[in-house]
């Protein structure tokens, strides 16, 4: 019998969503008449923008004619899309990114999960806590995390607690680390990093020879004009940062699949002898070997996001979800809860009432308001005492959920 990769057996995180599903199912079975509203989902609910739909149709027609048919595409993506990304997402903010530094992919999940492959097995990683679980789990699978202790922490991972007391801003690591995963606007806390805070990270990484893995999947939700959308808005970041972006939460591509990762030419790792190695070259090699590229049709759909119409429609989508965020924030504050996030992010991070753990609050909300959210403890030990709601629900359901919480849970 083939021996398995035993690092997989050290994974603990899948417990969260299966446990939520189990509790919801048990509640529904006991209360068949209850209308449960799910505000725990991280998936969008609005349809694709019309400009994207038109582009997808046109691209499908191209595939049906011999003269315009496309087979295998370039693994890092078509130049037409990379050029639009470079111009609209970067040059418009005064940032220079070349098209051969942009790698179009099928998701920020895949890229943030796969990027660790180009680093050594003994690299030390640091993560914010709470965290989007993919960063941690992909390193557990690779054997880089060590073993989980009784407190849920892996012994080779450096955890950077993000809690109300530090404004959900990760502290700089106190011991040497090689890779740091940062996600801003943050899932799950909804926090953003100011320009000064991001500069501290870039300066620290330059000084310590670390690489920052910067997940900006939610940058379109930033409202404050002084919050950076890209880490490359910070001087010197090109030498130390890889940035991940996605069309998922911006243009509704969660089921259509398109994202991209920027690996600047300056950012380097080193080999065993200490000689510098281009991470751009390694990532190109990795993607060319293991990834087939995003379908032509889908890349045409993503390109339509950058048309005038597409930009307007995407802004309307984001505005729609941010209105949901406001409804949730205002409602929960009116119910006497302490609420964070939801101003520059589609996530609302709620402090659970005194004496209630994340799971206690989950049970209370489900039992009394028939609303499902996500217990903060599921995102890491420092998420205990918090609870995540998302702004991605249908408007009517979001309003109803908030009214129920106000009626049943007013403190
Ligand atoms: N990064 C973060 C922080 C996320 O929350 C998510 C999705 O929930 C993703 C990445 C996944 O993005 P994609 O749909 O592009 O794989």
């Amino acid at each position: 019998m083939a021996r398995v990769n035993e690092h997989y057996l050290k994974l603990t995180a899948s417990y969260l969503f299966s446990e939520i599903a189990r509790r919801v199912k048990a509640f529904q079975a006991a209360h068949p008449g209850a209308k449960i509203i799910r505000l725990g989902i991280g998936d969008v609910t609005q349809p694709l923008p019309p400009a994207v739909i038109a582009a997808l149709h046109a691209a499908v027609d191209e595939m049906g004619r011999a003269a315009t048919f496309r087979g295998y595409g370039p693994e890092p993506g078509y130049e037409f899309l990379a050029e639009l990304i470079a111009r609209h997402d970067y040059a418009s903010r005064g940032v220079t990114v070349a098209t051969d530094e942009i790698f179009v992919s099928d998701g920020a999940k895949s890229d943030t999960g796969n990027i660790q492959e180009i680093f050594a097995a003994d690299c030390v990683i640091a993560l914010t806590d709470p965290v989007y679980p993919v960063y941690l789990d992909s390193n557990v699978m690779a054997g880089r995390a060590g073993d989980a202790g009784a407190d849920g922490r892996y012994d080779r991972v450096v955890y950077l607690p993000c809690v109300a007391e530090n404004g959900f801003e990760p502290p700089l690591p106190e011991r040497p680390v090689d890779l740091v995963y940062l996600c801003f606007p943050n899932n799950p806390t909804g926090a953003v990093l100011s320009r000064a805070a991001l500069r501290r990270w870039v300066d620290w990484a330059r000084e310590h020879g670390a690489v920052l893995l910067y997940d900006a999947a939610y940058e379109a939700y930033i409202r404050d004009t002084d919050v950076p959308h890209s880490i490359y808005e910070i001087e010197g970041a090109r030498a130390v940062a890889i940035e991940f972006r996605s069309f998922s939460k911006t243009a509704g591509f969660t089921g259509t699949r398109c994202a991209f990762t920027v690996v600047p030419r300056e950012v380097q790792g080193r080999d065993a002898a200490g000689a510098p190695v281009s991470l751009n070259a390694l990532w190109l090699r990795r993607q060319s070997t293991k990834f087939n590229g995003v379908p032509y049709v889908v890349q045409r759909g993503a390109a339509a996001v950058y048309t005038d119409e597409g930009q307007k429609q995407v802004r309307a989508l984001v505005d729609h979800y941010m209105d949901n965020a406001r409804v949730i924030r205002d409602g929960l504050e009116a119910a006497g809860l302490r609420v964070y996030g939801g101003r520059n992010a589609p996530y609302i991070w709620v402090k659970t009432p005194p004496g209630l753990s994340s799971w206690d609050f989950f049970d209370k909300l489900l039992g009394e308001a028939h609303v499902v959210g996500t217990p903060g403890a599921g995102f890491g030990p420092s998420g205990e005492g918090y609870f995540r709601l998302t702004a991605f629900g249908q408007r009517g359901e979001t309003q109803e959920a908030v009214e129920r919480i106000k009626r049943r849970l007013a403190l």
Side-chain angles (χ1 to χ4, degrees):
M1 246 192 303
R3 183 149 172 222
V4 299
N5 174 352
E6 288 185 19
H7 301 308
Y8 276 61
L9 309 181
K10 298 176 185 167
L11 289 166
T12 57
S14 63
Y15 163 78
L16 172 67
F17 290 100
S18 55
E19 180 60 18
I20 290 174
R22 193 190 66 75
R23 292 191 192 202
V24 171
K25 198 170 159 204
F27 180 81
Q28 190 77 80
H31 306 86
K35 181 178 169 253
I36 293 173
I37 299 179
R38 292 165 201 273
L39 291 188
I41 50 161
D43 197 359
V44 295
T45 49
Q46 293 293 301
L48 290 171
V52 170
I53 292 294
L56 291 172
H57 280 300
V60 168
D61 289 341
E62 280 186 71
M63 295 297 275
R65 290 189 295 269
T68 48
F69 168 78
R70 314 273 178 138
Y72 289 124
E75 287 96 352
Y78 283 100
E79 190 71 11
F80 67 80
L81 181 55
E83 270 172 15
L84 288 167
I85 291 168
R87 180 147 37 98
H88 290 270
D89 287 318
Y90 293 103
S92 68
R93 298 193 166 274
V95 171
T96 303
V97 167
T99 54
D100 62 0
E101 297 174 321
I102 296 169
F103 296 82
V104 176
S105 78
D106 66 353
K109 177 179 179 177
S110 339
D111 286 357
T112 55
N114 291 331
I115 195 76
Q116 46 78 28
E117 280 186 26
I118 64 170
F119 296 98
D122 62 356
C123 275
V124 176
I125 64 155
L127 300 168
T128 57
D129 171 24
V131 76
Y132 174 57
V134 171
Y135 316 149
L136 176 62
D137 289 358
S138 55
N139 279 288
V140 174
M141 291 168 172
R144 220 174 266 111
D147 295 303
D151 62 354
R153 290 186 167 87
Y154 287 86
D155 56 8
R156 291 203 63 239
V157 172
V158 174
Y159 290 83
L160 309 171
C162 296
V163 289
E165 290 70 24
N166 62 12
F168 303 100
E169 183 185 325
L172 296 172
E174 285 172 358
R175 64 185 179 92
V177 303
D178 301 296
L179 301 170
V180 184
Y181 290 82
L182 296 176
C183 169
F184 291 98
N186 189 262
N187 175 14
T189 67
V192 286
L193 277 193
S194 68
R195 196 168 292 277
L198 201 48
R199 187 173 302 124
R200 258 195 302 284
W201 273 102
V202 169
D203 291 348
W204 171 87
R206 290 178 68 96
E207 193 186 330
H208 292 83
V211 173
L212 303 177
L213 303 170
Y214 193 73
D215 186 344
Y218 296 99
E219 63 77 32
Y221 289 82
I222 295 173
R223 293 299 164 96
D224 291 354
T225 49
D226 52 346
V227 171
H229 287 238
S230 165
I231 195 166
Y232 305 121
E233 290 177 51
I234 307 298
E235 203 189 329
R238 284 180 54 90
V240 291
I242 292 174
E243 181 165 288
F244 305 90
R245 295 269 188 114
S246 174
F247 294 94
S248 283
K249 306 299 166 70
T250 314
F253 271 57
T254 53
T256 307
R257 309 307 315 151
C258 196
F260 60 92
T261 289
V262 176
V263 189
R265 269 189 295 267
E266 290 93 316
V267 64
Q268 292 177 327
R270 60 172 175 80
D271 66 15
V277 178
S278 159
L279 297 182
N280 178 292
L282 289 194
W283 187 241
L284 176 61
R285 191 72 178 83
R286 192 269 171 208
Q287 291 297 78
S288 308
T289 302
K290 295 196 182 183
F291 182 58
N292 262 319
V294 175
Y296 172 72
V297 170
V298 172
Q299 292 192 58
R300 279 292 177 202
V305 166
Y306 296 104
T307 59
D308 288 348
E309 276 181 301
Q311 290 283 283
K312 262 191 235 127
Q313 292 161 3
V314 163
R315 219 169 296 130
L317 272 184
V318 171
D319 286 349
H320 173 82
Y321 294 128
M322 287 308 278
D323 280 346
N324 282 352
R326 188 183 41 75
V327 167
I328 298 171
R329 274 190 70 98
D330 292 353
L332 297 195
E333 278 173 358
L337 291 159
R338 186 80 182 89
V339 181
Y340 303 94
R343 294 193 191 282
N344 292 293
Y347 295 110
I348 292 92
W349 193 236
V350 185
K351 184 89 190 95
T352 58
L356 292 187
S357 72
S358 293
W359 279 107
D360 292 341
F361 192 62
F362 173 90
D363 289 334
K364 186 174 169 66
L365 220 53
L366 176 60
E368 295 177 24
H370 307 169
V371 172
V372 179
T374 313
F379 297 99
S382 296
E384 181 52 272
Y386 295 92
F387 195 78
R388 191 192 76 172
L389 293 172
T390 88
F392 290 126
Q394 303 283 357
R395 174 64 47 81
E397 287 203 340
T398 302
Q399 285 166 331
E400 190 185 333
V402 167
E403 282 312 310
R404 288 189 200 165
I405 294 171
K406 272 175 24 189
R407 268 201 313 274
R408 307 279 165 77
L409 291 192
L411 301 172

